[in-house]
Amino acid sequence: MKGRRRRMRSVSTILLHAAQLTVLGLLTTVAVAWGLALRTLDRVPPHELAVATTPQVALGVYSWRAFGADRRTIGVTRLSLAGNWPPGSIARLVSQEVSNASQREPFVGHFPAWWGPTPDRTLNDPQLLWAGSVQDARGWPFLALQCEWPIVTGLRSGSAPGLRRGERQRPGALRWGIALPDMPLSGEVLACRALPLRPVWSGLLANTVIFGSAWGLIALGVARAVQARRRARGLCGRCGYSRAGLGENSPCPECGRTTPRGRLRP
């Protein structure tokens, strides 16, 4: 009966420690991602991921990548000023219009693997010349959290509130993030900042496991060091109670530990 209780207590202790390390790993993952979100990418050259043209629109995908950061933009430009946008959204254009294009085939096969869904901004404003989205992910060693800004450009004066002819609107309407003050940079796509909130599940889980394991190793190392120091001072390695006058195999009067040289139980 005592052996069963002891095993149950050990299992409960292991589960408690696992939960604590998971929470620590998750908090560390979020803290690292948010710390990396404070930096801008103004000194990082853009990298073209994919470009395609259809009879109605031209699409381009660009990326700015740095340590623990990946910012991607998808832009859709209307080639003809007459008429309206093709019906649907950016996601539909990517999946239908571009998949049938002859230039740079196959565009869809080279389209980047977004951390969330393809930007789904609905193209329903006939006054817009350019529409797009900025997606930003942060984290280390893997990207863990992501946020998004939709962007629009006016076709002529008055097409959007406070927007002049040909002027691109600063990224706004932040989704899945906590806005931070913009940096005074020349490129608006690089100036916007936010603390991302939307999980990139693969990176979030991997980073949580990595940081949780790291905290576990740190805790184990500290516990071992404390145990060794107590033994050197003639104390019980587990609770620190004095073992003066006790034999090597005598139990500790405080915690009942029998072998002072045994393994430390956290």
Side-chain angles (χ1 to χ4, degrees), residues 121 125 127-128 152-165 167-170:
R121 176 177 175 82
D125 189 344
Q127 301 300 324
L128 297 182
V152 297
T153 297
L155 174 62
R156 57 178 177 269
S157 179
S159 62
L163 204 63
R164 298 187 299 273
R165 176 184 178 88
E167 179 184 9
R168 183 175 300 175
Q169 188 180 41
R170 296 180 66 83

Side-chain angles (χ1 to χ4, degrees), residues 85-241:
W85 286 92
S89 64
I90 294 177
R92 182 174 177 179
L93 284 172
V94 171
S95 62
Q96 296 181 8
E97 295 284 338
V98 180
S99 62
N100 298 325
S102 59
Q103 293 111 338
R104 301 291 294 271
E105 283 287 350
F107 180 83
V108 173
H110 294 288
F111 193 76
W114 296 88
W115 315 290
T118 302
D120 57 357
R121 176 177 175 82
T122 301
L123 305 175
N124 55 6
D125 189 344
Q127 301 300 324
L128 297 182
L129 174 65
W130 187 93
S133 177
V134 178
Q135 290 190 343
D136 188 277
R138 303 296 169 114
W140 184 88
F142 302 102
L143 299 175
L145 296 174
Q146 174 252 345
C147 60
E148 178 183 359
W149 295 266
I151 318 176
V152 297
T153 297
L155 174 62
R156 57 178 177 269
S157 179
S159 62
L163 204 63
R164 298 187 299 273
R165 176 184 178 88
E167 179 184 9
R168 183 175 300 175
Q169 188 180 41
R170 296 180 66 83
L174 172 65
R175 304 172 65 186
W176 312 305
I178 301 174
L180 295 173
D182 291 351
M183 299 296 292
L185 304 175
S186 58
E188 65 227 17
V189 169
L190 301 179
C192 55
R193 299 186 304 163
L195 301 179
L197 297 176
R198 184 173 186 174
V200 181
W201 287 111
S202 58
L204 183 70
L205 295 176
N207 289 0
T208 298
V209 171
I210 292 172
F211 287 126
S213 301
W215 279 115
L217 293 175
I218 292 173
L220 181 61
V222 171
R224 294 290 188 184
V226 171
Q227 183 186 41
R229 184 177 180 181
R230 286 174 176 174
R231 288 175 181 169
R233 298 171 57 187
L235 306 177
C236 174
R238 180 180 183 183
C239 66
Y241 191 81

